């Protein structure tokens, strides 16, 4: 299968023809006319088959889902392109390869309509940036925008026009393998990152950028038990207030496309959910781009028990407002019949074709179809030194310091002997995740390589500890403990291979493997200081790791320069500033645990255990709160928050008040702090969360510096949605919380009149 697109491209190359002069004189080819006029002209010339063809997207490279679609070889696929039966291909890459296929579409099909080439460019194309959840821990949307833009630059140079990103599914369940692709558990922060990534990918839609795709619409992150593709059951109230805001932010940022999700919403698969696809997306949010299904999600409605057969699936999908069909082939097989028999209004098809053609014109593909296919440009932009540098910076800003007892970190640059332990310190094949596009694990600076190059004067030894299968043996134990004896500090890498991160990679057990824990126990009993690095694409259960470590640095999966970034942090050349965007559970049984929960009628305060603390909403074996809360992250310096004040204790519905406080860098090092503002609506017509992030500021402080920090509280921060998506702003008491994370806060209150 992997060679399929090469073969496709080779066949395409030998069969290329030229534009016919007849094609050139058509109005839709006239670049001086408006896009609207050109589309209208083109539509008037298209046959029903050609129109349906624009809604057909086929896989032409490695599979990223079950082989559901046309099941045909490259020759048949090229013939379909010649026949005008394909609108877009996914998974074919390379300036030359895509260019050869584009030539067929443009010169051999009757109307010469160019194809859109698409790929999952999630966090880099060749240069890989930190996984999106890691990047969200930077709380730096400008950084996310830059990384998305850099990824778009590399990918578009390889002939691509469209990425299936960003994913903004709100997630509260780290068992779900796709938490790595999002921005965590908060709707506001999720929206900020979604918009930034859309801006980064799309830019001004020139040939250094990509069309973005809002995915997966909607609620895909709420898969029950964190099991991939599983049922979703969210109330409309929760949907509007928690899950929809990030998609809306991306649509408002101008995202060109939206992808259906695999799940059901209110008992109806998203792919045929008229409420989502028409009422919310088109009518309420005024989305003007086009929709694409997820991989075979139209035909999967048969398995859901919602469609009788493929023709039924096609009818239900298009009637709901869905448009392009990724790989299930139900439109190409049945849409013509459905239109001819008037079961589906022709207008729906025409509108979908219009929406798709709009972007083909907008990208300039009718005027210069080959502008994405310059091999020299491809070579010059990919993996450049600027890309490597950006990847390193992003990785530095994404790693979260979770523990740092007695200032174990940063290490003394003149430290004599360091032992690095753990298979993941050197294992290249585990270094990147499934969604690393064309990233090459050989390009990755491993943790060990990063440490060796930064601490070049120190003696660095390595011991595998556990092996690739996470087994810890007596042989490795001896080697490890002998080396540990000589070491001034031990750096132990634990975690989960990148191969288990991403789609179809749900895990029921997200604690470190027993072999990794055995390794930690032995190291801990050796009496040495152990710095634990966690390489993982999801929050893990670190409850048993905490007592066995002096420091814990959550490295996530940091991309091409992860080892170099790690070394900057270990040496104190970068002072960690990242903070968690997802709560870390005490135990798997505590999932879902998230900070913006409701209070319940019988709330409990962790730590209290008097007679009144029995018949309350609590666990009897672990605390209610997360092990590490949302917004948590340490620095090598320390912070003091003081004097929280509101400009008034009353606010009008059309007014605003300001909230000020002082933040001081009390430590000896310069650093950045993320100051977080949360609000609670104390009593409302629908219960509101105990705290909701409404704003934040990431600020740089010199050592010893103090700053007055000011937030403006506006009515939009106090409003919420009813279950129908109407905005409510209700009078009453509100509490404002400001702090370094969602737990350690100061508070003040006011009344909205
Ligand atoms: C299925 C995934 O759910 C989606 O996110 C991805 O874009 C498509 N496959 C294409 O690879």
């Amino acid at each position: 299968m992997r060679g399929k697109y090469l073969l496709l491209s080779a066949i395409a190359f030998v069969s290329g023809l030229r534009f016919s002069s007849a094609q050139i004189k058509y109005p839709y080819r006239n670049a001086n006319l408006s896009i609207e006029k050109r589309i209208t002209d083109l539509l008037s010339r298209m046959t029903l088959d050609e129109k349906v063809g624009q809604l057909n997207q086929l896989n032409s490279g490695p599979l990223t889902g079950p082989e559901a679609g046309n099941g045909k070889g490259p020759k048949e696929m090229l013939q379909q392109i010649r026949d005008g039966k394909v609108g877009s291909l996914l998974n074919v890459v390379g300036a030359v390869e895509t260019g050869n296929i584009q030539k067929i579409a443009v010169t051999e099909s009757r109307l010469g309509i160019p194809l859109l080439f698409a790929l999952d460019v999630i966090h880099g194309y060749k240069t890989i940036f930190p996984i999106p959840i890691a990047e969200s821990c930077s709380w730096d949307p400008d950084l996310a925008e830059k990384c998305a833009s850099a990824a778009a630059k590399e990918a578009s140079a390889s002939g691509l026009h469209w990425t299936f990103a960003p994913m903004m599914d709100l997630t509260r369940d780290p068992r779900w393998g796709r938490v790595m692709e999002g921005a965590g558990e908060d709707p506001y922060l999720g929206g900020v990152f979604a918009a930034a990534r859309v801006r980064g990918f799309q830019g001004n839609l020139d040939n250094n950028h990509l069309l973005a795709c809002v995915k997966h619409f909607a609620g895909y992150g709420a898969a029950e038990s964190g099991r991939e593709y599983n049922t979703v059951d969210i109330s409309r109230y929760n949907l509007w207030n928690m899950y929809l805001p990030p998609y809306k932010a991306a649509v408002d940022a101008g995202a060109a496309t939206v992808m259906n999700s695999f799940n059901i919403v209110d008992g109806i698969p998203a792919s045929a959910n008229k409420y989502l696809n028409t009422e919310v997306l088109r009518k309420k949010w005024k989305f003007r781009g086009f929709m694409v299904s997820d991989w075979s999600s139209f035909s999967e409605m048969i398995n859901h028990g919602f469609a009788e057969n493929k023709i039924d699936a096609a009818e239900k999908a298009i009637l709901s407002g869905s448009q392009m069909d990724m790989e299930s082939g139900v439109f190409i097989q049945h849409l013509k019949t459905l239109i001819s028999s008037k079961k589906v209004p022709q207008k729906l098809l025409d509108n979908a074709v219009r929406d798709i053609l709009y972007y083909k014109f907008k990208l300039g593909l009718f005027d210069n179809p080959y502008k994405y296919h310059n091999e020299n440009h491809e070579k010059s932009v990919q993996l450049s030194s600027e890309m490597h540098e950006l990847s390193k910076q992003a990785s530095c800003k994404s790693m979260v310091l979770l523990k740092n007892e007695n200032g174990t970190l940063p290490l003394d640059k003149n430290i004599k002997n360091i032992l690095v332990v753990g298979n993941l310190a050197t294992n290249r094949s585990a270094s990147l995740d499934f969604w690393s596009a064309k990233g090459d694990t050989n390009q990755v600076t491993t943790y060990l390589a990063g440490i060796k190059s930064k601490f070049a004067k120190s003696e660095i030894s390595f011991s595998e500890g556990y092996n690739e299968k996470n087994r810890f043996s007596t042989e490795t134990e001896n080697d490890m403990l002998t080396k540990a004896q000589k070491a001034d500090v031990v750096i132990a890498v634990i975690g989960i291979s990148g191969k288990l991160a991403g789609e179809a990679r749900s895990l029921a057990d997200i604690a470190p493997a027993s072999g990794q824990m055995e390794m930690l126990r032995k190291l801990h009993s050796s009496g040495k200081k152990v710095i634990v690095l966690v390489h993982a694409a999801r929050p893990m259960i670190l409850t048993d790791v905490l007592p066995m470590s002096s420091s814990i640095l959550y490295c996530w999966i940091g991309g091409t320069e992860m080892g170099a970034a790690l070394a900057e942090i270990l040496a104190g050349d970068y002072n960690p500033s990242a903070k968690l965007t997802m709560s870390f559970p005490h135990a798997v049984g505590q999932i879902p645990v998230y900070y913006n929960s409701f209070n319940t009628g019988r709330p409990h305060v962790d730590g209290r255990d008097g007679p009144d603390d029995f018949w309350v909403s609590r666990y009897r074996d672990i605390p209610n709160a997360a092990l590490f809360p949302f917004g948590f992250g340490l620095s090598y310096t320390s912070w003091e928050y003081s004097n929280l004040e509101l400009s008034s204790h009353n606010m009008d519905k059309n007014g605003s008040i300001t909230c000020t406080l002082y933040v001081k860098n009390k430590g000896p090092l310069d650093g950045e702090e993320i100051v977080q503002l949360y609000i609670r609506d104390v009593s409302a017509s629908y219960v509101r969360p105990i705290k909701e992030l409404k704003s934040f500021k990431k600020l740089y402080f010199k050592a010893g510096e103090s700053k007055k920090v000011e937030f403006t509280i506006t009515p939009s921060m106090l409003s919420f949605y009813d279950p129908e998506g109407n905005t409510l702003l209700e009078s009453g008491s509100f509490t404002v919380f400001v702090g370094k994370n969602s737990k350690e806060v100061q508070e003040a209150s006011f009344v909205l009149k």
Side-chain angles (χ1 to χ4, degrees), residues 57 59 62-66 90-91 118-122 163-165 167 169 176 178 181 213 215-216 220 228-229 259-262 292-296 326-327 434-435 503-504:
Q57 184 183 57
N59 171 55
L63 293 181
T64 49
L90 76 148
N91 290 344
L119 184 81
D120 293 282
V121 180
I122 309 289
T163 175
F164 301 127
M167 181 193 101
D169 298 314
W176 191 47
R178 303 196 78 167
E181 274 182 76
C213 185
K215 77 184 190 185
H216 306 81
Y220 183 44
E228 185 68 303
Y229 315 125
M259 184 185 287
N260 301 119
S261 57
F262 285 121
V292 62
S293 76
D294 202 346
W295 183 292
S296 75
M326 182 196 290
E327 265 295 301
F434 170 66
W435 286 129
E503 187 180 353

Side-chain angles (χ1 to χ4, degrees), residues 430-504:
S431 60
L432 296 180
D433 59 286
F434 170 66
W435 286 129
S436 293
K438 297 295 149 190
D440 179 355
T441 52
N442 290 317
Q443 291 282 340
V444 174
T445 312
T446 62
Y447 298 119
L448 182 63
I451 293 169
K452 278 191 169 162
S453 109
K454 180 61 91 180
F455 295 90
K457 288 192 225 126
S458 317
E459 195 178 318
I460 315 281
S461 53
F462 171 70
S463 183
E464 195 186 26
Y466 55 90
N467 66 15
E468 196 149 10
K469 294 195 169 132
N470 286 321
R471 288 212 189 87
F472 182 72
S473 66
T474 328
E475 205 179 296
T476 49
E477 178 179 344
N478 292 340
D479 178 61
M480 177 182 91
L481 291 178
T482 314
K483 289 175 178 161
Q485 282 322 310
K486 293 190 210 135
D488 299 310
V489 74
V490 177
I491 299 177
V493 188
I494 61 168
I496 304 177
S497 162
K499 289 183 197 153
L500 284 170
E503 187 180 353

Side-chain angles (χ1 to χ4, degrees), residues 241-296:
N241 286 287
M242 290 292 169
Y243 289 88
L244 292 183
Y247 307 111
K248 180 168 189 306
V251 168
D252 289 346
T257 72
V258 171
M259 184 185 287
N260 301 119
S261 57
F262 285 121
N263 53 280
I264 57 169
V265 172
D266 284 336
I268 299 175
S271 297
N273 198 309
K274 198 167 181 180
Y275 179 70
L276 290 177
N277 305 337
T278 301
E279 296 305 318
V280 175
L281 193 59
R282 297 282 178 190
K283 294 193 182 158
K284 272 194 188 273
W285 293 354
K286 313 276 180 250
F287 172 64
R288 294 278 171 263
F290 70 90
M291 291 199 81
V292 62
S293 76
D294 202 346
W295 183 292
S296 75

Side-chain angles (χ1 to χ4, degrees), residues 38 40 65 72 87 95 119 177 249 331 430 561 628 675 733 752:
R38 297 175 81 182
T40 304
K72 290 183 178 150
L119 184 81
F331 279 180
E561 292 296 341
F628 296 111
V675 185
S733 305
L752 181 70

